[in-house]
Amino acid sequence: MAEQSASHEAGFRLVRSRSSVPRARALLRANLGEWRAGQEVVETAELVLSELVTNAVRVAVPGDRMIGVRIECRDQGAWLRLEVSDAGDGRPEVRWPGELDTGGRGLLIVDALAFCWGVRNGRPGSGRPSGRRS
């Protein structure tokens, strides 16, 4: 009989603040540790999530809308999905900054580390960039 894969899911909301980036990493690390994901998976996921949450913090949104994060993990990190919802109206785009530019590399990093990534529109104003590693 085939062994069923372990699947885990967690979600949380963050305030729109730069302090939410390390908070997101800590919550991700705690969940992946509990789910026994390997150290390389944890480190890569922390970097990807940091970039996605940083982008979400920077997006202009109405009022005090929060940032949503959802983590889905299977087989101790062999398959991992990270979703970040920012309630912004636009779509994130990969930028190609110059050598002297101090920012604009976030989605290049996500693209390099994730198996695939994309944007899914939910209800109006809830764009969801996400990255998946498998």
Side-chain angles (χ1 to χ4, degrees), residues 13-112:
R13 302 194 63 72
L14 302 164
V15 296
R16 305 189 66 73
S17 165
R18 292 177 73 170
S19 65
S20 290
V21 177
R23 176 80 177 134
R25 283 194 307 263
L27 291 167
L28 173 70
R29 191 178 325 111
N31 279 292
L32 293 179
E34 183 179 313
W35 302 334
R36 300 185 181 272
Q39 186 62 30
E40 183 179 335
V41 170
V42 173
E43 290 172 1
T44 301
E46 282 182 316
L47 182 51
V48 169
L49 186 61
S50 290
E51 296 302 332
L52 295 175
V53 172
T54 297
N55 285 351
V57 165
R58 292 179 176 168
V59 169
V61 298
D64 59 352
R65 303 287 295 269
M66 296 184 81
I67 297 167
V69 175
R70 188 171 86 71
I71 307 162
E72 186 179 354
C73 178
R74 296 184 192 153
D75 300 323
Q76 297 177 319
W79 188 93
L80 181 65
R81 181 182 183 105
L82 304 172
E83 290 185 4
V84 176
S85 59
D86 60 27
D89 289 331
R91 295 179 67 84
E93 294 180 17
V94 175
R95 293 177 33 200
W96 301 95
E99 284 183 34
L100 300 178
D101 290 332
T102 59
R105 292 171 179 80
L107 290 180
L108 287 172
I109 293 169
V110 171
D111 189 56

